[in-house]
Structures are given as structure tokens and as C-alpha cells.
Amino acid sequence: MTIRTITDVEFGAQLPVFTPDTSLSSTSTFAEAVGWGGGGRGGRFSDHDAAKKEGLPGALVPGIMAMGFLTSMIHSWSEAADVRHIDTVFRAPLLADDPCHIDGVVTDIDEATGIVQLDLTVKNEKDETRVFGTADVRLPLG
Amino acid sequence: MVDVEQLKSDFLNTEFDRKDFVLDAQKLATVARISGETKAEFIDPEHPDFQAAPAFIASLASGRHLPIDFPTLGGIPMDGGKAVTCIKPVRAGVPLTGRTHLHEIYDKSGRSGRMVFVVARMEIMDPDGEHIATSDSRMVIRERPDA
């Protein structure tokens, strides 16, 4: 169902599952664009071997990239959605090249203001939660 | 053991860092596109409402997260999470200022000891000094018993 206005949203509805691109080339490009590439901590997002030398299990998906995945998922659910607030909790490292998926659910609806609250969870293939998020999203009034 | 109430009294709500930015449109678009974004106002620099996605706004807060005289709690701060509040669009190519203060300090105790949570809040201002976005960085510090 296409979500165009607040009246299209149902409490408890699941958002379509979103599968982000966690490839090493993407995490590396992201890190470079936000100024975390190159030397220093850059290797932890672009090079599995360099990350392991730092004691990490492998190259990481930058935490804020996970936030990017969440907002992309929200806009994929509804192009009319306007993210007003998003909070991400980094519970465990999300590894580059490790497939993951994002689930989302509508937890509150305020039809007077057009604000919808969402819970969003990034899980790996073992179904382990790596990042948890909540978002307040504004939709046009019906 | 550090007194959290004293930390609050000494450090909350006092600006300790200020940074100026001019955001690069291509980098904003790259960050949004590589995150899977599809809305034109985040991935197309030619769009009339082109603006930074929340993830890019969160990246602005990297750097100094604690006041220079904040006490050492014995552990290495870990990134516990980020939050962004969007008030008005954050645009590329205009001078912006980020003003940072400690917004919240609290602790939680568990079997492995006490964890201290510190939330550094950057308020992002446009060239007119209007507050257009907020980026919170949540640090988690596992306290050493002898700290």
C-alpha cells in the first residue's frame, strides 16, 4: 500500500523489509564522503585486514551509515515521509560485507499533527540485532 | 567513583566547542545515495530543495565530544549511538556553525560495573544564527573501579 498521508498509516503495521548495501566498497565510499577515509580510522571501514589489526572482527559499517539505511527505508516506505527526529542505538558492530535486513513497525500515530513513530531494527543473517532505532516522521494530513 | 551529580553540575549546558562548516553538495549526495536513499532532495544537488540527510548531519558531530577538563573515568569512550533532530533543511554551500555542549549525563550499574552515559549535543546554526538541526552523540564509558 502506498503511504501518502497520515490516514494511510495503521497502528502496528510493518514496513516493507529493507535490505541495505553493506558491501565494503559502499562502507568505504561512505566513510570517505564524511571525512573518515584514508589513514587513521579510515581502514576500519574500508579494509578487513586493517580492521582486524585494530582488534575488530572485520571492517565495520559506520554507525551513522546505519542511520542512513533507516532513513532510506522510511522514504522507501513513504516518499511523503519527512523525518523530523531519528535516534539510533549502536548495540553491536555491523560488519561490512555481512548481509543484514531492517524491520520496521508503526508504534504510534498522531492524526492531529501527522506524526508517526516507528521502531526500526537492523539485524544480521543470524537474526542478531546490531542497531536499533526510533523515528518521528511527519506525513501530510489526510 | 565519579559523582555523576557533580559532573552534571560542573559540565551540563555549557558550550565547549564551536566549529564552522560549509557542506559539499556532492558529498551530501554520495552519502545519501550510498545509504540507499531514493528521494531527489537528498541525492540530486540540482533539486530545488536539496539538503543534507540526517546521517550526514550526524557526521558533523565527529571530533571533540568532551570538554577539555572533563575528568577521565578510566575507560575508553564508546560510541553508543546518534540522534538527529531536523528543524529546517541543512543546505550545502552556505556557512554553518555547530555549537556543542553536554546535554545529559547519567549512569547505569550492572554486573560488570558502572557505565556512564554522556550525551554531547551539537546545535547547528544557519548563517542567520537560526537553529536548524541538532545532532546528539551518546558516549558510553565503562568506569574502572579505581577511577
Side-chain angles (χ1 to χ4, degrees):
Chain A
M1 179 183 178
T2 303
I3 305 295
R4 294 191 178 89
T5 71
I6 189 77
T7 57
D8 295 328
V9 183
E10 292 183 21
F11 179 78
Q14 302 277 335
L15 278 65
V17 174
F18 187 83
T19 306
D21 177 3
T22 58
S23 65
L24 192 64
S25 64
S26 289
T27 60
S28 180
T29 300
F30 185 99
E32 191 74 39
V34 298
W36 297 353
R41 63 179 172 176
R44 70 175 59 174
F45 305 119
S46 60
D47 183 330
H48 286 300
D49 290 336
K52 286 175 182 172
K53 283 179 185 167
E54 284 191 59
L56 298 166
L60 304 177
V61 176
I64 58 171
M65 189 174 185
M67 177 186 281
F69 295 156
L70 299 186
T71 55
S72 298
M73 179 193 191
I74 292 166
H75 294 146
S76 173
W77 168 67
S78 173
E79 197 169 327
D82 179 16
V83 177
R84 307 312 300 161
H85 178 79
I86 184 159
D87 191 352
T88 50
V89 177
F90 306 148
R91 289 183 60 176
L94 185 60
L95 299 181
D97 290 329
D98 195 0
C100 66
H101 64 275
I102 308 175
D103 298 311
V105 62
V106 175
T107 57
D108 198 15
I109 302 170
D110 185 338
E111 295 204 0
T113 60
I115 298 290
V116 173
Q117 290 184 351
L118 305 170
D119 278 1
L120 306 153
T121 309
V122 182
K123 293 182 177 177
N124 63 13
E125 283 197 317
K126 296 176 186 170
D127 217 32
E128 298 165 329
T129 297
R130 316 311 277 175
V131 178
F132 179 79
T134 56
D136 293 346
V137 172
R138 186 164 60 202
L139 286 163
L141 302 178
Chain B
M1 182 176 278
V2 172
D3 181 349
V4 168
E5 292 305 316
Q6 188 63 48
L7 288 178
K8 289 182 184 178
S9 170
D10 291 344
F11 292 103
L12 284 188
N13 302 317
T14 300
E15 181 182 322
F16 67 88
D17 193 33
R18 186 177 288 218
K19 286 200 286 190
D20 295 324
F21 313 100
V22 177
L23 306 186
D24 180 276
Q26 292 304 326
K27 288 181 178 174
L28 298 191
T30 296
V31 161
R33 182 179 46 76
I34 212 78
S35 302
E37 184 59 69
T38 53
K39 283 185 81 169
E41 53 260 54
F42 299 108
I43 61 175
D44 178 6
E46 302 304 317
H47 190 280
D49 196 28
F50 182 68
Q51 59 187 276
F56 201 99
I57 297 170
S59 80
L60 300 177
S62 64
R64 189 147 67 89
H65 288 313
L66 294 170
I68 200 160
D69 53 344
F70 196 84
T72 302
L73 302 183
I76 298 170
M78 296 175 290
D79 190 352
K82 306 274 191 215
V84 170
T85 301
C86 305
I87 302 167
K88 287 192 166 184
V90 175
R91 307 289 189 195
V94 298
L96 303 170
T97 302
R99 296 162 51 175
T100 306
H101 65 272
L102 294 188
H103 174 68
E104 210 173 2
I105 303 172
Y106 57 96
D107 62 347
K108 291 182 180 178
S109 295
R111 280 177 295 181
S112 59
R114 188 169 75 145
M115 311 275 276
V116 179
F117 294 76
V118 181
V119 178
R121 171 164 290 183
M122 173 183 278
E123 294 177 338
I124 298 160
M125 311 292 179
D126 72 6
D128 298 323
E130 187 172 1
H131 181 194
I132 56 173
T134 297
S135 176
D136 286 348
S137 300
R138 188 181 306 109
M139 283 161 285
V140 186
I141 306 166
R142 187 186 300 279
E143 187 179 54
R144 283 191 187 150
D146 56 350

